[in-house]
Amino acid sequence: MAIQYLTKQDTRSNGNSKWYGRAVHPSTVGLDVIAERIQHTCSMTKGDVLAVLTEMVSVMKDELQNSNKVRLDGLGTFSIGLRTVGAKTEEEFTANDNIKAFVVNFLAEGRKQNGKLVRTFTDGIRAVKAV
């Protein structure tokens, strides 16, 4: 398995015209495809898998909106973060004026390997140039 990439030149006005790699994502896989694949590796039917995953999303939303982190062993940890603008004093900071957006943060699970942290989803990955 490999991640596809394309190169893009940085054309900012600071004179830095270096080339950088950007990941390419040719398609998006949804719950339907995931459920289909899971059904082939366990005793659950696709419908069972879809029911569980759909409820998992609902429960995760509830937990995240109650300010909890959600850790899925083998996957990673989800939490809600904030995009804010500063206030001159703590007393002047209000949710309505200073919180501009809520974001979902995800930190993939990892483990130490040869003194380096290896994330679950990037272990053994390689890159190939997209055509």
Side-chain angles (χ1 to χ4, degrees):
M1 291 189 204
I3 293 295
Q4 297 177 37
Y5 71 92
L6 291 174
T7 52
K8 182 174 170 120
Q9 188 174 24
D10 179 357
T11 57
R12 288 183 266 182
S13 60
N14 65 2
N16 177 10
S17 61
K18 293 182 179 179
W19 288 81
Y20 296 90
R22 298 286 183 252
V24 174
H25 308 286
S27 65
T28 301
V29 176
L31 278 183
D32 196 53
V33 171
I34 291 171
E36 181 78 31
R37 292 192 58 194
I38 290 173
Q39 120 176 312
H40 295 296
T41 62
C42 70
S43 62
M44 294 175 73
T45 67
K46 179 180 174 182
D48 295 334
V49 175
L50 278 171
V52 169
L53 293 176
T54 301
E55 279 306 306
M56 182 183 74
V57 170
S58 177
V59 170
M60 285 180 65
K61 178 182 176 182
D62 288 346
E63 291 297 333
L64 291 169
Q65 289 186 1
N66 279 316
S67 209
N68 293 319
K69 289 183 178 181
V70 175
R71 186 182 74 238
L72 301 177
D73 296 334
L75 185 67
T77 303
F78 296 83
S79 63
I80 298 291
L82 306 174
R83 294 274 188 260
T84 63
V85 293
K88 290 181 183 176
T89 66
E90 183 176 3
E91 293 76 21
E92 290 181 53
F93 187 97
T94 65
N96 286 339
D97 294 335
N98 299 93
I99 297 176
K100 297 303 177 188
F102 296 97
V103 296
V104 177
N105 298 318
F106 173 72
L107 181 61
E109 188 170 289
R111 61 181 163 67
K112 288 278 188 171
Q113 181 177 340
N114 298 329
K116 291 185 176 182
L117 182 62
V118 177
R119 298 283 176 196
T120 301
F121 296 114
T122 58
D123 187 19
I125 202 169
R126 63 184 184 87
V128 297
K129 189 161 187 174
V131 285

